[in-house]
Amino acid sequence: MNKSRLIGALALALLTALLAGCGGGVVNKDLECAGDYELVAADGEALHYLLDGWSIRIIKHDAGYFLVEWLENVDGKLQPIDGPDGNPWQDAGIGFGEDLLAIGSIDGPMVMVMRVGDGAMSGFYAVYGEDEVHPVNAVGDGENFPEPPKLEVLDQDGVFDVRGDNPPPQEDTYYEGVFRLESHDKVIYNQQQITTGYLEQEPFDGVGLVAEGTLVLVTGPYLAVYGGGDGDWEGMWVEPGNEKLADEELHLQ
């Protein structure tokens, strides 16, 4: 190996090592909330058409995140809706904080943040293109709804440089790009453009919320949670079906 290639390999190894584990502190892999939940209106507000009449099935993945299936009532039985491949449609969920759950859906796209209680959850959701945050409850095997998470306004909008790890089987590589975050009160619009790396692609539009200091973004099929602030965020992201969560960091230009 010549000198320039050796330097390049060492630089890549160093960056990979620096990124490894950088966002793990924000994720709560021990959160327990698996089960079926009916989504119901909260505070007298009707549910958005994307949620009205639906239930969700939350399944714990071995990698420490959740798979979220959308269920419809068919002859009194909850049945998962099928995706284009004929298998149940799945979105992703990530636990964070002490008892909080983020759910992302490519449909919308939509972001949901919930506080997990004993057999029930309470929280909020936002849909891309709509500037309002809406309350929602989820009824499992109990109806003792906890206090919903406290939502905050993103402290700084702007263009962010993004760097992150690719998931298996490309976990020893990384990608780079830009996020454009724009606040509409508490709702955040995001345009994601990955410019180099395995996930290089056309821009994705997304939506996000800040819940109790954690930034939650749903962009295309990807769900991410970040800790930090003041223009610097470190976290983890996942796409449904991935074998592990991957690190990602955002830095305001």
Side-chain angles (χ1 to χ4, degrees):
M1 179 181 291
N2 63 37
K3 186 176 180 180
S4 62
R5 288 184 178 178
L6 177 60
I7 292 173
L10 289 172
L12 175 58
L14 177 60
L15 179 58
T16 301
L18 289 172
L19 284 172
C22 72
V26 70
V27 173
N28 180 359
K29 293 185 177 181
D30 296 324
L31 183 68
E32 296 296 338
C33 58
D36 291 353
Y37 296 84
E38 179 186 3
L39 299 175
V40 297
D43 297 339
E45 183 175 329
L47 285 177
H48 192 279
Y49 73 89
L50 291 175
L51 298 179
D52 191 24
W54 293 100
S55 296
I56 54 175
R57 175 167 294 151
I58 300 176
I59 304 165
K60 188 68 172 285
H61 192 280
D62 290 342
Y65 69 96
F66 297 94
L67 296 170
V68 180
E69 296 181 352
W70 294 85
L71 311 175
E72 59 181 343
N73 193 313
V74 179
D75 297 328
K77 295 183 180 180
L78 292 177
Q79 302 287 346
I81 63 170
D82 290 336
D85 60 359
N87 293 315
W89 181 277
Q90 292 182 328
D91 287 314
I94 299 177
F96 66 99
E98 181 179 348
D99 56 358
L100 301 177
L101 174 69
I103 295 175
S105 176
I106 193 173
D107 194 9
M110 177 178 60
V111 60
M112 188 182 303
V113 291
M114 308 289 284
R115 190 180 305 281
V116 177
D118 185 11
M121 299 186 288
S122 296
F124 301 96
Y125 65 95
V127 180
Y128 178 79
E130 302 181 11
D131 296 347
E132 295 184 6
V133 176
H134 306 280
V136 62
N137 287 331
V139 181
D141 55 9
E143 294 188 10
N144 186 18
F145 298 111
E147 286 294 319
K150 180 181 178 182
L151 299 183
E152 303 157 7
V153 176
L154 181 66
D155 56 4
Q156 291 195 58
D157 289 6
V159 180
F160 291 75
D161 291 319
V162 55
R163 295 183 181 90
D165 290 341
N166 284 313
Q170 290 82 22
E171 65 266 35
D172 293 328
T173 64
Y174 70 96
Y175 58 88
E176 295 178 317
V178 294
F179 281 11
R180 292 174 172 84
L181 302 184
E182 178 183 310
S183 295
H184 295 253
D185 193 17
K186 293 178 181 177
V187 180
I188 305 162
Y189 293 165
N190 176 37
Q191 185 181 73
Q192 169 184 295
Q193 174 70 74
I194 302 303
T195 55
T196 61
Y198 172 69
L199 293 175
E200 184 175 347
Q201 57 199 212
E202 295 298 315
F204 272 121
D205 290 325
V207 63
L209 295 168
V210 178
E212 300 191 5
T214 297
L215 172 61
V216 180
L217 292 178
V218 178
T219 312
Y222 312 115
L223 171 65
V225 296
Y226 312 85
D230 197 25
D232 294 295
W233 299 89
E234 294 184 350
M236 304 193 82
W237 69 273
V238 74
E239 181 180 5
N242 281 7
E243 295 177 19
K244 63 181 291 187
L245 291 131
D247 291 319
E248 186 171 78
E249 56 184 55
L250 313 177
H251 300 288
L252 185 65
Q253 292 182 357

